[in-house]
Amino acid sequence: MSMNTVTSVIYSILEWITRFAYINVLWILFSLAGGIIFGFFPSTISMFSIMRDWLRGNTEAPLFNTFCRYFKKEFWKSNRLGLFIMAIVLLIGLDLWYIQISLNELLSWTYTPLFAFMVLFLIFLFYLFPSFVHFDLKVTQIIKNALFIMLISPLHTLLVILCLGSLYVVMTLVPALVFIFGGSSYAFVTMWLSLDAFNKIQRKQAY
């Protein structure tokens, strides 16, 4: 391998490391700019949209301008999705709170189905944001679509869990990586595997 080839490979690796870190910074800053409550979901959708562009070969668009465009375009729609997510999270939180303060020991059995629901909801989120950016649908249809894909893609779900589990171990060992690559690495993994699931489903429907 020539020196020029080695240099080119190192440059490419450093370039992509910089891109992932930059996207993560934009995700955090735009979330804060929206007061977190109104900024988190459009910022997250913008990050997933750029990951989808990269995975589909569009890597040359300027990151800041592209992020801003997606943020503005999806601001209201993504916050409508955010209301649904926050409602579910609030419901889970209220259930946990009620069980903990209740003196009725008979309610203790509800921990098991509630925990199962929490796990399923977490897995559902793996597909929700990728479905949002990949399919041009209404929010209610996106939710149904993500649920359907989750149910018929157990292998992809397992791969997502394994990949994210590996990332978690690495970032536990080096906590600073969470602030540099936490959001962007999560978005890349889930978008990458979700795109593969989407493509397989589309190929099956074509036959």
Side-chain angles (χ1 to χ4, degrees):
M1 185 179 292
S2 66
M3 183 59 68
N4 288 336
T5 303
V6 173
T7 303
S8 178
V9 170
I10 293 174
Y11 176 80
S12 181
I13 291 172
L14 291 176
E15 181 185 15
W16 279 105
I17 289 174
T18 303
R19 287 186 178 210
F20 272 76
Y22 185 35
I23 287 295
N24 207 73
V25 169
L26 290 177
W27 173 59
I28 294 172
L29 291 179
F30 274 73
S31 295
L32 293 174
I36 300 178
I37 294 176
F38 295 107
F40 175 79
F41 291 102
S43 183
T44 300
I45 290 300
S46 300
M47 178 170 61
F48 271 87
S49 297
I50 289 176
M51 292 299 171
R52 177 179 178 270
D53 290 343
W54 287 354
L55 288 164
R56 291 166 66 91
N58 182 15
T59 60
E60 301 303 321
L63 291 181
F64 183 80
N65 291 340
T66 305
F67 199 99
C68 287
R69 176 166 55 83
Y70 281 127
F71 188 90
K72 293 175 182 177
K73 177 184 176 184
E74 305 294 355
F75 185 85
W76 296 111
K77 185 178 176 181
S78 61
N79 273 308
R80 289 198 298 272
L81 180 69
L83 285 175
F84 165 77
I85 295 173
M86 294 308 298
I88 298 297
V89 171
L90 180 61
L91 180 63
I92 292 173
L94 288 174
D95 286 341
L96 288 172
W97 174 75
Y98 181 76
I99 293 171
Q100 288 178 349
I101 67 168
S102 176
L103 299 177
N104 189 350
E105 294 184 0
L106 293 176
L107 288 177
S108 60
W109 70 270
T110 59
Y111 271 116
T112 301
L114 183 58
F115 177 76
F117 176 78
M118 290 168 61
V119 171
L120 288 173
F121 180 66
L122 182 62
I123 295 172
F124 167 71
L125 290 179
F126 292 161
Y127 297 99
L128 187 58
F129 293 117
S131 293
F132 186 105
V133 303
H134 189 69
F135 301 103
D136 186 17
L137 300 170
K138 295 180 179 179
V139 171
T140 53
Q141 293 172 315
I142 290 169
I143 294 169
K144 294 177 182 177
N145 206 52
L147 181 61
F148 171 73
I149 294 169
M150 178 193 77
L151 294 174
I152 66 172
S153 305
L155 179 58
H156 289 86
T157 298
L158 179 61
L159 289 173
V160 169
I161 293 172
L162 289 174
C163 290
L164 293 181
S166 300
L167 282 174
Y168 174 78
V169 171
V170 171
M171 291 184 180
T172 300
L173 296 174
V174 188
L177 292 178
V178 175
F179 300 99
I180 303 173
F181 302 110
S184 57
S185 58
Y186 168 82
F188 179 80
V189 168
T190 52
M191 192 72 243
W192 169 44
L193 292 171
S194 293
L195 271 180
D196 188 65
F198 300 157
N199 292 334
K200 286 186 176 181
I201 292 170
Q202 289 172 344
R203 285 195 296 269
K204 288 180 180 179
Q205 291 176 340
Y207 289 115

